[in-house]
Amino acid sequence: MYNDKVMDHFMNPRNVGEIQDADGAGQVGNPVCGDVMRITIRVEDGKIADIKFRTFGCGAAIATSSMVTELVKGLTLDEAMEVSNKAVAEALGGLPAQKMHCSNLAADALHKAIEDYRAKHPANSGA
Amino acid sequence: MTSDSENKAGVRRVYLDHSATTPVRAEVMGAMMPYFAGQFGNPSSIHRWGREARAAVEDARAKVASLIGAAPQEIIFTSGGTEADNLAIRGTAWHKRSKGNHLITSSVEHHAVLHTCETLEKEGFKVTYLPVDKYGMIDPEDVEKAITDETILITIMHGQNEVGTIEPVREIGQIARRHGVTFHVDAVQSAGKIPIDVSDMNIDLLTMSSHKMYGPKGVGALYVRKGVRLSPQATGGSHERGLRAGTENVPGIVGFGEACRLAKEEMPEESLRLTRLRDRLIGGILDSIPDTVLNGHPTIRLPHHVNISFKFIEGESILLNLDLMGIGASSGSACTSGSLEPSHVLLAMGLPHELAHGSVRMTLGKGNSEEDIDYVISVLPPIVSKLRDMSVFR
């Protein structure tokens, strides 16, 4: 049901964990639907210097979390805000149709983390 | 899931999803083979070919009846468990509509029963869905309290398919009999696994499925107690005493009969063997992995059935890891049900959503050995700790 790329990110997830004293943190989903994702970021010079995730969820939830961390590391915050859930799914070579809505939330968690950073750092919230 | 070829060579294969389906036994397949091409007749035909097929169907009917203590003429062959449930429930509801419009069932029934009841509600019937306790068990007293002058059918399952709890159908049967209400039992998971006696249990209608007990798919049966009337749901010819029109699936029926004969013969020994394996698996997992919970009743449960919730992690991600290690299991997680809600059974038992999502069902069968169980117990702890390390709820 999952392609090789999804299975690779599921079995060998990149950037698992939580950044201590993170500059921004974002959490989406809820246990009722079975997927919860938390992303923490460290920002340097307006760019995502480090990013980590923790996820409770299915194969697609874990793989999209892993993929989004890989996609945005090193990007400016504005660039990272442009990365959509759809783009994450495309980078994984596609997800089963029934997973597109319930488990494909990793970009939302990332955007929340960036918004959290910007709320805490209004002076240097630009690119 | 990944295909067989994607599994690493040399990985042990352990099928632990016998409540989903079972392989057809060699003896069963052997019994079926003559009826595809050689003895291909239509049992309704009067010539030699027809008579051969008729004899085979009636021989199978006697074997199926014998498994549950019924008379052969009380067995109606269907296309499977779902059709038998539909015939029992819709057939009773519509036949008895002039007597009343109330049905009693439980909140942990299979969808074949639940969705049929829900459809009847839209058609004007009233349905009571009884609650269950934390083990998924129905209280017979609740059944009795729910009965009204309008009650025409009580439909309760025997072995719960998701958590393995055995429901008190004998007690419920006594209540149904005392109140003169027709009693249907979905025995798809229990038939051939634990003893069933329709007379002793006061059962009027009972559903069975062939492919859950090493018979072929596409065939099942409804036991209909002598004197119990139903409205047929498929109309056509006068097959199966006018209750189920359509030419009989002769090879399937023959296979089902043989599967029932073997199940009856082997049940005493096999149910003990499975119970030992089941308890070894349950004990092994609960002892070696913290924050795990057995779902379903600890002792009043099907001999082959294990269901465990792993806290902090989700079922599908466990199944994918198990599959890569050659182990086939299932889950009550929403991700594996094709809906956004986890198992209605686990929620009815009061499990919080996280635990329902983190459930894994492992159902044992003839092919499983002690070595298989020990392999599963050795493989699970690293999978669980890896997923927990990744989890938000760690």
Side-chain angles (χ1 to χ4, degrees), chain B residues 306-323:
Chain B
V306 177
N307 185 312
I308 287 177
S309 280
F310 297 85
K311 288 185 189 174
F312 319 125
I313 56 178
E314 189 274 340
E316 188 206 271
S317 55
I318 304 172
L319 296 189
L320 290 170
N321 276 282
L322 286 173
D323 188 41

PDB file of all heavy atoms in Angstrom, chain B residues 306-323:
ATOM      1  N   VAL B 306      -5.908 -13.159  20.483  1.00  0.00           N
ATOM      2  CA  VAL B 306      -5.124 -12.228  21.304  1.00  0.00           C
ATOM      3  C   VAL B 306      -5.349 -10.821  20.764  1.00  0.00           C
ATOM      4  O   VAL B 306      -5.288 -10.609  19.548  1.00  0.00           O
ATOM      5  CB  VAL B 306      -3.616 -12.561  21.227  1.00  0.00           C
ATOM      6  CG1 VAL B 306      -2.799 -11.538  22.022  1.00  0.00           C
ATOM      7  CG2 VAL B 306      -3.347 -13.975  21.732  1.00  0.00           C
ATOM      8  N   ASN B 307      -5.640  -9.864  21.654  1.00  0.00           N
ATOM      9  CA  ASN B 307      -5.721  -8.466  21.239  1.00  0.00           C
ATOM     10  C   ASN B 307      -5.073  -7.617  22.323  1.00  0.00           C
ATOM     11  O   ASN B 307      -5.500  -7.641  23.484  1.00  0.00           O
ATOM     12  CB  ASN B 307      -7.179  -8.037  21.023  1.00  0.00           C
ATOM     13  CG  ASN B 307      -7.270  -6.612  20.473  1.00  0.00           C
ATOM     14  OD1 ASN B 307      -6.627  -5.688  20.987  1.00  0.00           O
ATOM     15  ND2 ASN B 307      -8.059  -6.432  19.432  1.00  0.00           N
ATOM     16  N   ILE B 308      -4.040  -6.888  21.943  1.00  0.00           N
ATOM     17  CA  ILE B 308      -3.276  -6.110  22.918  1.00  0.00           C
ATOM     18  C   ILE B 308      -3.121  -4.676  22.436  1.00  0.00           C
ATOM     19  O   ILE B 308      -2.870  -4.431  21.259  1.00  0.00           O
ATOM     20  CB  ILE B 308      -1.902  -6.775  23.153  1.00  0.00           C
ATOM     21  CG1 ILE B 308      -2.117  -8.057  23.982  1.00  0.00           C
ATOM     22  CG2 ILE B 308      -0.924  -5.816  23.859  1.00  0.00           C
ATOM     23  CD1 ILE B 308      -0.896  -8.863  24.241  1.00  0.00           C
ATOM     24  N   SER B 309      -3.312  -3.715  23.370  1.00  0.00           N
ATOM     25  CA  SER B 309      -3.046  -2.312  23.059  1.00  0.00           C
ATOM     26  C   SER B 309      -1.673  -1.928  23.582  1.00  0.00           C
ATOM     27  O   SER B 309      -1.316  -2.267  24.713  1.00  0.00           O
ATOM     28  CB  SER B 309      -4.101  -1.399  23.691  1.00  0.00           C
ATOM     29  OG  SER B 309      -5.273  -1.382  22.913  1.00  0.00           O
ATOM     30  N   PHE B 310      -0.927  -1.253  22.717  1.00  0.00           N
ATOM     31  CA  PHE B 310       0.400  -0.754  23.067  1.00  0.00           C
ATOM     32  C   PHE B 310       0.266   0.747  23.261  1.00  0.00           C
ATOM     33  O   PHE B 310      -0.014   1.475  22.306  1.00  0.00           O
ATOM     34  CB  PHE B 310       1.394  -1.069  21.949  1.00  0.00           C
ATOM     35  CG  PHE B 310       1.581  -2.546  21.713  1.00  0.00           C
ATOM     36  CD1 PHE B 310       0.715  -3.248  20.880  1.00  0.00           C
ATOM     37  CD2 PHE B 310       2.597  -3.243  22.356  1.00  0.00           C
ATOM     38  CE1 PHE B 310       0.864  -4.623  20.679  1.00  0.00           C
ATOM     39  CE2 PHE B 310       2.753  -4.613  22.156  1.00  0.00           C
ATOM     40  CZ  PHE B 310       1.888  -5.301  21.317  1.00  0.00           C
ATOM     41  N   LYS B 311       0.456   1.197  24.496  1.00  0.00           N
ATOM     42  CA  LYS B 311       0.288   2.621  24.773  1.00  0.00           C
ATOM     43  C   LYS B 311       1.320   3.448  24.001  1.00  0.00           C
ATOM     44  O   LYS B 311       2.443   2.981  23.771  1.00  0.00           O
ATOM     45  CB  LYS B 311       0.449   2.898  26.281  1.00  0.00           C
ATOM     46  CG  LYS B 311      -0.732   2.393  27.094  1.00  0.00           C
ATOM     47  CD  LYS B 311      -0.599   2.776  28.558  1.00  0.00           C
ATOM     48  CE  LYS B 311      -1.672   2.061  29.380  1.00  0.00           C
ATOM     49  NZ  LYS B 311      -1.510   2.280  30.830  1.00  0.00           N
ATOM     50  N   PHE B 312       0.948   4.659  23.674  1.00  0.00           N
ATOM     51  CA  PHE B 312       1.789   5.709  23.048  1.00  0.00           C
ATOM     52  C   PHE B 312       2.064   5.502  21.570  1.00  0.00           C
ATOM     53  O   PHE B 312       2.692   6.343  20.939  1.00  0.00           O
ATOM     54  CB  PHE B 312       3.141   5.882  23.773  1.00  0.00           C
ATOM     55  CG  PHE B 312       3.053   5.823  25.269  1.00  0.00           C
ATOM     56  CD1 PHE B 312       3.822   4.934  26.004  1.00  0.00           C
ATOM     57  CD2 PHE B 312       2.171   6.659  25.941  1.00  0.00           C
ATOM     58  CE1 PHE B 312       3.720   4.865  27.384  1.00  0.00           C
ATOM     59  CE2 PHE B 312       2.066   6.598  27.317  1.00  0.00           C
ATOM     60  CZ  PHE B 312       2.844   5.700  28.056  1.00  0.00           C
ATOM     61  N   ILE B 313       1.662   4.365  20.979  1.00  0.00           N
ATOM     62  CA  ILE B 313       1.938   4.169  19.554  1.00  0.00           C
ATOM     63  C   ILE B 313       0.688   3.686  18.825  1.00  0.00           C
ATOM     64  O   ILE B 313      -0.287   3.282  19.457  1.00  0.00           O
ATOM     65  CB  ILE B 313       3.130   3.205  19.314  1.00  0.00           C
ATOM     66  CG1 ILE B 313       2.884   1.858  19.994  1.00  0.00           C
ATOM     67  CG2 ILE B 313       4.421   3.844  19.768  1.00  0.00           C
ATOM     68  CD1 ILE B 313       3.991   0.856  19.761  1.00  0.00           C
ATOM     69  N   GLU B 314       0.757   3.723  17.502  1.00  0.00           N
ATOM     70  CA  GLU B 314      -0.430   3.502  16.671  1.00  0.00           C
ATOM     71  C   GLU B 314      -0.321   2.151  15.961  1.00  0.00           C
ATOM     72  O   GLU B 314       0.777   1.722  15.571  1.00  0.00           O
ATOM     73  CB  GLU B 314      -0.530   4.679  15.687  1.00  0.00           C
ATOM     74  CG  GLU B 314      -1.786   4.754  14.887  1.00  0.00           C
ATOM     75  CD  GLU B 314      -1.722   3.921  13.645  1.00  0.00           C
ATOM     76  OE1 GLU B 314      -0.596   3.591  13.193  1.00  0.00           O
ATOM     77  OE2 GLU B 314      -2.784   3.556  13.138  1.00  0.00           O
ATOM     78  N   GLY B 315      -1.474   1.512  15.799  1.00  0.00           N
ATOM     79  CA  GLY B 315      -1.516   0.131  15.326  1.00  0.00           C
ATOM     80  C   GLY B 315      -0.934  -0.115  13.950  1.00  0.00           C
ATOM     81  O   GLY B 315      -0.173  -1.058  13.748  1.00  0.00           O
ATOM     82  N   GLU B 316      -1.275   0.738  12.980  1.00  0.00           N
ATOM     83  CA  GLU B 316      -0.793   0.461  11.626  1.00  0.00           C
ATOM     84  C   GLU B 316       0.725   0.463  11.568  1.00  0.00           C
ATOM     85  O   GLU B 316       1.335  -0.341  10.863  1.00  0.00           O
ATOM     86  CB  GLU B 316      -1.333   1.497  10.634  1.00  0.00           C
ATOM     87  CG  GLU B 316      -0.995   1.120   9.194  1.00  0.00           C
ATOM     88  CD  GLU B 316      -0.921   2.311   8.268  1.00  0.00           C
ATOM     89  OE1 GLU B 316      -1.951   2.678   7.702  1.00  0.00           O
ATOM     90  OE2 GLU B 316       0.185   2.872   8.106  1.00  0.00           O
ATOM     91  N   SER B 317       1.357   1.379  12.313  1.00  0.00           N
ATOM     92  CA  SER B 317       2.822   1.432  12.257  1.00  0.00           C
ATOM     93  C   SER B 317       3.429   0.168  12.886  1.00  0.00           C
ATOM     94  O   SER B 317       4.503  -0.276  12.469  1.00  0.00           O
ATOM     95  CB  SER B 317       3.349   2.704  12.915  1.00  0.00           C
ATOM     96  OG  SER B 317       2.867   2.814  14.229  1.00  0.00           O
ATOM     97  N   ILE B 318       2.725  -0.432  13.829  1.00  0.00           N
ATOM     98  CA  ILE B 318       3.192  -1.710  14.385  1.00  0.00           C
ATOM     99  C   ILE B 318       3.019  -2.815  13.336  1.00  0.00           C
ATOM    100  O   ILE B 318       3.924  -3.621  13.102  1.00  0.00           O
ATOM    101  CB  ILE B 318       2.413  -2.080  15.669  1.00  0.00           C
ATOM    102  CG1 ILE B 318       2.503  -0.954  16.704  1.00  0.00           C
ATOM    103  CG2 ILE B 318       2.928  -3.398  16.251  1.00  0.00           C
ATOM    104  CD1 ILE B 318       1.599  -1.160  17.920  1.00  0.00           C
ATOM    105  N   LEU B 319       1.855  -2.827  12.681  1.00  0.00           N
ATOM    106  CA  LEU B 319       1.590  -3.868  11.671  1.00  0.00           C
ATOM    107  C   LEU B 319       2.603  -3.823  10.533  1.00  0.00           C
ATOM    108  O   LEU B 319       3.049  -4.869  10.044  1.00  0.00           O
ATOM    109  CB  LEU B 319       0.188  -3.699  11.074  1.00  0.00           C
ATOM    110  CG  LEU B 319      -1.016  -3.866  11.984  1.00  0.00           C
ATOM    111  CD1 LEU B 319      -2.294  -3.880  11.162  1.00  0.00           C
ATOM    112  CD2 LEU B 319      -0.907  -5.133  12.814  1.00  0.00           C
ATOM    113  N   LEU B 320       2.967  -2.598  10.095  1.00  0.00           N
ATOM    114  CA  LEU B 320       3.936  -2.480   8.992  1.00  0.00           C
ATOM    115  C   LEU B 320       5.278  -3.061   9.404  1.00  0.00           C
ATOM    116  O   LEU B 320       5.941  -3.756   8.634  1.00  0.00           O
ATOM    117  CB  LEU B 320       4.108  -1.011   8.595  1.00  0.00           C
ATOM    118  CG  LEU B 320       2.919  -0.340   7.900  1.00  0.00           C
ATOM    119  CD1 LEU B 320       3.148   1.164   7.798  1.00  0.00           C
ATOM    120  CD2 LEU B 320       2.700  -0.921   6.508  1.00  0.00           C
ATOM    121  N   ASN B 321       5.687  -2.771  10.643  1.00  0.00           N
ATOM    122  CA  ASN B 321       6.955  -3.326  11.141  1.00  0.00           C
ATOM    123  C   ASN B 321       6.887  -4.843  11.278  1.00  0.00           C
ATOM    124  O   ASN B 321       7.839  -5.544  10.933  1.00  0.00           O
ATOM    125  CB  ASN B 321       7.307  -2.698  12.497  1.00  0.00           C
ATOM    126  CG  ASN B 321       8.025  -1.371  12.341  1.00  0.00           C
ATOM    127  OD1 ASN B 321       9.214  -1.338  12.049  1.00  0.00           O
ATOM    128  ND2 ASN B 321       7.302  -0.286  12.521  1.00  0.00           N
ATOM    129  N   LEU B 322       5.755  -5.343  11.780  1.00  0.00           N
ATOM    130  CA  LEU B 322       5.598  -6.792  11.915  1.00  0.00           C
ATOM    131  C   LEU B 322       5.641  -7.456  10.539  1.00  0.00           C
ATOM    132  O   LEU B 322       6.263  -8.503  10.352  1.00  0.00           O
ATOM    133  CB  LEU B 322       4.274  -7.123  12.614  1.00  0.00           C
ATOM    134  CG  LEU B 322       4.205  -6.866  14.112  1.00  0.00           C
ATOM    135  CD1 LEU B 322       2.784  -7.090  14.628  1.00  0.00           C
ATOM    136  CD2 LEU B 322       5.176  -7.774  14.876  1.00  0.00           C
ATOM    137  N   ASP B 323       4.975  -6.823   9.570  1.00  0.00           N
ATOM    138  CA  ASP B 323       4.935  -7.376   8.213  1.00  0.00           C
ATOM    139  C   ASP B 323       6.346  -7.512   7.653  1.00  0.00           C
ATOM    140  O   ASP B 323       6.680  -8.511   7.009  1.00  0.00           O
ATOM    141  CB  ASP B 323       4.076  -6.468   7.331  1.00  0.00           C
ATOM    142  CG  ASP B 323       3.826  -7.060   5.953  1.00  0.00           C
ATOM    143  OD1 ASP B 323       3.579  -8.278   5.874  1.00  0.00           O
ATOM    144  OD2 ASP B 323       3.874  -6.319   4.963  1.00  0.00           O
TER     145      ASP B 323
END
